[in-house]
Amino acid sequence: MRNTADVVIIGGGIVGASIAYHLTRAGVRDVVVLERERLGAGSTGKNAGGIRLQFSSEINIRLSQRSLPRIERFKEEMGIDPDFHQVGYLFLITTDGDAAAFERSLELWKRLGVPARRVDPTEAKTLCPVARTDDVRFATFCAKDGYADPSSLLNGYVARARDGGAEFVEGAEVIAFACADGKVAGVRTNRGELSAPTVVDAAGPWAAQVAKLANVELPIAPLRRHIFVTDPVPGLDADFPLSVEFATGLYAHRESGGVLLGMGDPTQPPGFDTSVNWDFLPAVVERALSRFPILEHAKVRTGWAGLYEDTPDKHPILGRVEELPGFVCAAGFSGHGIMHAPATGEAIAELITKGKTTLDIGALAASRFRTGQLVREHNVI
Ligand SMILES: Cc1cc2nc3c(=O)[nH]c(=O)nc-3n(C[C@H](O)[C@H](O)[C@H](O)COP(=O)(O)OP(=O)(O)OC[C@H]3O[C@@H](n4cnc5c(N)ncnc54)[C@H](O)[C@@H]3O)c2cc1C
């Protein structure tokens, strides 16, 4: 491991890797990514791979609008196929409150040029024949959305960042910060010290712990979320849109011949536990059978749990942290870090190399929690 760098990135997930790639592309060769386990060991290895434009806040939409074309062109740009199934996201709306919120989103999407549209229950059924739609008030559909393979996205960023000179060090845990004259001067790891004028916290669900090492408080909480995958389902051949029963947060997409199911547990307290709570499975199965009756004879083959990195307003914290010059945060994606990794890498690299970003990320500054200028997002699943 080198002992000096221009930029140190803490966290070898998709966000750290994307930042490393974009830095090397901007001409910064002396980039070191420190990962305490192995690359992708955090949330990047545990998610559903969903990619969508259908958000309710302008900044989340803009992050997606910058990222999605990059995922569409990922193979050409990065040389690795991300297996992007661009089958669309279908949000099934069943309650009055959600109907009103999605009506507002439809207006916003029109203004921002998001090609999502309102569909009636009959068309929703045509788009996703395996979903029950008799209780659906309306649905929204965006054909640009879909799901990709997060490991391929990670591998692409790592490979091309390495080509550009970045070093990825596995088994290197940051245990302390070094500061001089009130600024970041480097980090101490279990494998030695590394001096650098800029340190990026891309530690996902552990980002608040890492920030604490630098005496910086970040409101990012780990929240356990489950995914279950079925065996191949008899009678289910075609792909279908990533479909979301919005009222419960149940979502489903095809996976290895079967179906991947996810749903949030409203009783889940924050914490780092990633063991599977099998007692939660019956609740998921009940909702899944009700919404997707074709799953009646499906067997759950496997399940796992990972961590959302939740902020109070469900938006990431991006940018320099005022209290400590040299400390940059890129974390708190609240369940959207795969789809927002391309735009994040680009923005953080621009910030470090040019001092400004082409996408205005001012709304995502850590200071918003102090000033109370939170950004609202309704479409979190
Ligand atoms: C069940 C589930 C489903 C999801 N579905 C989606 C989805 O459909 N679409 C989407 O966009 N997002 C989804 N997400 C969210 C997405 O997985 C995350 O937002 C994303 O992976 C965050 O990437 P990251 O690189 O910031 O963090 P991580 O991948 O968690 O990487 C952080 C890394 O930092 C390392 N680290 C921590 N502390 C230290 C230290 N002190 N020193 C060195 N290294 C350290 C960790 O080991 C870890 O590897 C989902 C998440 C879960 C759990």
Side-chain angles (χ1 to χ4, degrees):
M1 186 172 93
R2 302 173 208 182
N3 53 18
T4 64
D6 291 329
V7 181
V8 164
I9 298 167
I10 305 171
I14 193 162
V15 172
S18 173
I19 295 168
Y21 165 69
H22 284 90
L23 280 168
T24 57
R25 215 175 65 154
V28 186
R29 297 185 66 82
D30 213 354
V31 177
V32 177
V33 180
L34 301 172
E35 166 53 50
R36 71 172 168 197
E37 290 187 45
R38 60 195 154 68
L39 301 177
S43 301
T44 298
K46 307 273 172 59
N47 63 82
I51 289 158
R52 63 176 154 116
L53 294 165
Q54 295 184 73
F55 281 98
S56 73
S57 83
E58 182 161 342
I59 185 64
N60 267 342
I61 292 171
R62 295 210 183 276
L63 286 167
S64 291
Q65 284 177 318
R66 291 233 163 190
S67 296
L68 196 139
R70 303 282 302 282
I71 293 166
E72 288 176 322
R73 296 194 314 270
F74 198 81
K75 190 169 175 209
E76 290 87 280
E77 183 181 347
M78 311 299 292
I80 290 185
D81 186 348
D83 199 21
F84 187 20
H85 293 247
Q86 210 161 15
V87 289
Y89 255 63
L90 183 70
F91 280 97
L92 302 167
I93 319 297
T94 52
T95 69
D96 286 349
D98 291 335
F102 273 84
E103 294 287 9
R104 286 194 295 277
S105 289
L106 280 158
E107 286 299 312
L108 182 66
W109 296 338
K110 200 154 101 194
R111 177 163 74 77
L112 298 179
V114 173
R117 60 194 171 85
R118 179 193 172 105
V119 299
D120 63 25
T122 311
E123 191 184 353
K125 183 81 186 163
T126 311
L127 288 164
C128 187
V130 294
R132 188 171 61 81
T133 56
D134 55 338
D135 61 340
V136 169
R137 301 180 52 123
F138 66 89
T140 65
F141 180 69
C142 178
K144 285 278 189 185
D145 299 344
Y147 57 95
D149 173 30
S151 302
S152 301
L153 292 167
L154 172 69
N155 293 343
Y157 282 131
V158 171
R160 299 294 78 82
R162 280 187 171 136
D163 290 349
E167 182 181 358
F168 288 79
V169 190
E170 293 180 304
E173 178 171 7
V174 172
I175 50 176
F177 272 67
C179 295
D181 303 327
K183 293 186 210 152
V184 164
V187 292
R188 183 143 51 86
T189 79
N190 57 335
R191 297 176 51 170
E193 294 189 0
L194 189 52
S195 60
T198 303
V199 175
V200 183
D201 182 354
W206 300 273
Q209 286 186 339
V210 164
K212 224 178 178 96
L213 297 174
N215 288 323
V216 171
E217 293 292 330
L218 293 178
I220 298 175
L223 197 61
R224 178 168 66 171
R225 298 281 305 224
H226 289 83
I227 283 179
F228 299 100
V229 180
T230 73
D231 274 335
V233 180
L236 181 61
D237 304 318
D239 213 346
F240 58 84
L242 193 157
S243 301
V244 185
E245 177 184 78
F246 193 74
T248 61
L250 173 79
Y251 61 89
H253 71 63
R254 291 302 303 273
E255 182 78 20
S256 327
V259 172
L260 177 151
L261 297 164
M263 191 169 95
D265 175 356
T267 66
Q268 177 68 53
F272 288 103
D273 181 9
T274 53
S275 63
V276 175
N277 173 12
W278 291 104
D279 292 342
F280 180 54
L281 178 60
V284 179
V285 168
E286 188 192 328
R287 281 319 315 151
L289 288 182
S290 165
R291 185 56 61 194
F292 304 103
I294 194 170
L295 297 179
E296 191 184 345
H297 299 295
K299 285 199 185 63
V300 169
R301 173 166 52 86
T302 184
W304 65 84
L307 301 171
Y308 268 26
E309 346 86 79
D310 238 33
T311 64
D313 64 1
K314 315 291 180 204
H315 283 78
I317 300 173
L318 298 184
R320 294 188 179 280
V321 175
E322 277 170 15
E323 304 95 286
L324 184 59
F327 185 68
V328 178
C329 181
F333 290 86
S334 306
H336 312 127
I338 301 298
M339 61 184 100
H340 288 162
T344 298
E346 181 183 49
I348 298 296
E350 286 174 343
L351 190 73
I352 291 171
T353 57
K354 299 184 189 140
K356 56 184 190 318
T357 58
T358 46
L359 175 67
D360 184 358
I361 55 168
L364 303 178
S367 57
R368 71 184 187 272
F369 300 105
R370 196 168 12 87
T371 60
Q373 288 167 307
L374 303 193
V375 216
R376 300 284 165 205
E377 176 56 62
H378 179 256
N379 302 353
V380 178
I381 53 174

